[in-house]
Amino acid sequence: MALLLAGPALANDGFGGFTATGLTFGQTDKVAMETEDLMISPDRISVDYTFRNLTDQDVTGEVIFPLPPIPMGDLINGMWNLPEDTLRENLMDFKAVVDGAPVALQIDRLAVILPEAWWELTPSQQYDTPGQDVTALLAEHGLAVSLDGERAWEEIQALSPASRDALLAAGVIGDYDDTEGFDLYPNWSVVLRYHWTQTFKAGAVTKVHHDYENRPTGGVFGWEHPPEQDYLKDIARTYCIDEGTSTAIAKALARPDASEGAWGMAYQIDYVLRTANSWAGPIQRFTLTLDKGDPANVISLCAEGVKKTGPTTFTVEKTDFTPDQDLKILLVQPAGE
C-alpha cells in the first residue's frame, strides 16, 4: 500500500498538502525489490522498480495506492493543494505501467471519520487506519462523496430533520453552535484509492513504473540567517539546514529593500521510504534523484551522500538499502517581483 498524507503548513499563510510514499504489496518474503529509482520534482513524483519473485510459484495480490484522508471541513474553511478540477476521477493524474504496458486502474472513493488527533499519528498509522468507513451511510442519506466543499455544505443544509439527527448522532456531521441545524458542517474525510491486481511470475523479474502529481504542503516562508527564532531552529533541525544552506536561503529570499526581510515560498515535500521494508530483504540498489525545478530555488534534506549532478538536480545512491527513516525535503522558492 502507498499513501499520501496531509502535513502541517510551514506558515500561517499556507495550504495543506500531501506526503508521498512507494508501493507495497502487503508484507511478503516471496518478492524482493531489486531496484528502486525514485524521482522527486516540484510538480511530479515518479518511481521505477524491478521486483523479483524468489519462489517457483506465481504470487498474486492487490497493489494499492490510496490518497490520504482529505478533511471536507478543511476544503471549506482553508486552502488545500488540489488540482483546479477537484471533480476529476483521477485526482492526482496517477499512472502505472507494468512491463511496458499501461495498467487499467480501479479507483475507489470512500468517506471516513478520522480518529481523534489523527494528525499526531505516524504516517504508517495514518495509512493503516484511515478511519471509520461511512460511505454507505452518506449514500443512505443522499450525500455525495466528492471533493466539492460547497456542494457538501448545501446538501447538509438541505437534510431532512430525521437524516440530520441520524448523521449528527453518528458523528458524520457536526453542529458549530448546537443550534437547530443551521450551522451544520461535514465531519467526514474523503479517501481515494487506486488499485490493481498484480501477478509476479515465478522466478521472474517484473518492472513497475508509477507517477503522479506532487502536491505538497506549502506557504509563504520567511528566513533569517542565522536562524534565531525557535520555529526557524526547528525547521533547520528538521531539514538539516547547515550554515551554507542557511546562507543560500537568505540570499535567495532577500528582497530589493532590506527592510522587507527575506521571504518567499516554501514547500514541504515528504516521502515515506519505510514502506519498502514490506518486501523481502533490502533494496539491492536505490537511487534518489531530486530536481529543485529552478536554479534559483534552494533545497535541503537530511541524507548522506547527496551529489549535485546538474543546475537543478541531485542524486543519492544506496546499495543493500533498508530505509530506517523517511525523506523530509524543504524546497525554498524566491517570491516573484
Side-chain angles (χ1 to χ4, degrees):
M1 191 195 307
L3 183 65
L4 300 171
L5 305 167
L10 289 172
N12 289 334
D13 296 326
F15 47 83
F18 304 113
T19 297
T21 190
L23 300 177
T24 66
F25 189 67
Q27 194 69 39
T28 181
D29 59 0
K30 297 179 180 180
V31 180
M33 184 190 298
E34 292 192 332
T35 66
E36 176 180 357
D37 293 283
L38 169 62
M39 171 70 177
I40 298 177
S41 71
D43 300 322
R44 202 154 187 94
I45 292 175
S46 66
V47 193
D48 287 282
Y49 306 94
T50 57
F51 296 103
R52 183 178 295 277
N53 184 340
L54 303 176
T55 73
D56 59 1
Q57 296 182 345
D58 290 354
V59 176
T60 299
E62 202 75 0
V63 174
I64 305 173
F65 184 94
L67 289 175
I70 304 172
M72 290 300 297
D74 287 0
L75 294 185
I76 293 173
N77 298 316
M79 293 185 292
W80 203 265
N81 192 358
L82 293 175
E84 183 176 349
D85 180 10
T86 60
L87 300 182
R88 71 187 191 191
E89 183 182 18
N90 190 346
L91 185 70
M92 302 295 283
D93 191 32
F94 180 86
K95 301 173 183 176
V97 176
V98 176
D99 290 333
V103 174
L105 299 168
Q106 293 181 301
I107 305 176
D108 300 330
R109 190 179 292 260
L110 308 174
V112 302
I113 302 298
L114 299 176
E116 292 185 11
W118 66 276
W119 56 88
E120 296 179 359
L121 300 175
T122 65
S124 60
Q125 290 172 326
Q126 288 185 35
Y127 56 69
D128 284 344
T129 55
Q132 175 192 357
D133 188 341
V134 293
T135 308
L137 188 56
L138 261 67
E140 179 183 341
H141 294 278
L143 298 178
V145 181
S146 77
L147 291 174
D148 186 336
E150 183 178 353
R151 175 181 178 181
W153 183 272
E154 291 174 349
E155 288 181 346
I156 288 174
Q157 309 314 311
L159 287 169
S160 69
S163 289
R164 178 198 64 201
D165 292 344
L167 293 173
L168 279 168
V172 174
I173 61 175
D175 192 336
Y176 285 119
D177 300 314
D178 294 327
T179 59
E180 295 300 319
F182 296 104
D183 290 303
L184 300 176
Y185 61 90
N187 198 36
W188 70 86
S189 298
V190 174
V191 173
L192 297 181
R193 289 178 174 169
Y194 301 84
H195 59 101
W196 72 92
T197 301
Q198 181 62 51
T199 296
F200 297 91
K201 295 294 186 180
V205 167
T206 300
K207 295 182 178 181
V208 178
H209 167 90
H210 70 89
D211 62 87
Y212 51 95
E213 292 179 2
N214 187 17
R215 294 188 169 273
T217 294
V220 176
F221 181 77
W223 190 253
E224 61 183 11
H225 175 73
E228 298 291 345
Q229 300 181 64
D230 287 343
Y231 82 96
L232 291 179
K233 290 180 179 179
D234 288 341
I235 292 173
R237 284 191 292 268
T238 299
Y239 296 100
C240 295
I241 299 175
D242 57 20
E243 178 81 10
T245 304
S246 177
T247 301
I249 292 174
K251 181 179 179 181
L253 300 185
R255 307 298 295 165
D257 183 347
S259 66
E260 296 179 352
W263 63 272
M265 291 288 294
Y267 297 88
Q268 174 189 325
I269 304 174
D270 293 347
Y271 191 94
V272 180
L273 285 172
R274 284 176 287 182
T275 51
N277 297 333
S278 62
W279 302 91
I283 307 170
Q284 294 180 22
R285 180 185 59 76
F286 171 81
T287 302
L288 166 66
T289 301
L290 300 173
D291 188 340
K292 63 180 182 176
D294 189 291
N297 296 342
V298 181
I299 196 168
S300 189
L301 73 157
C302 299
E304 295 180 355
V306 180
K307 299 179 182 179
K308 186 174 177 61
T309 55
T312 65
T313 55
F314 305 81
T315 61
V316 177
E317 296 181 326
K318 304 286 185 181
T319 57
D320 295 327
F321 180 47
T322 301
D324 60 1
Q325 63 181 3
D326 300 320
L327 286 173
K328 298 185 74 66
I329 303 163
L330 182 68
L331 178 67
V332 178
Q333 182 181 81
E337 297 300 333

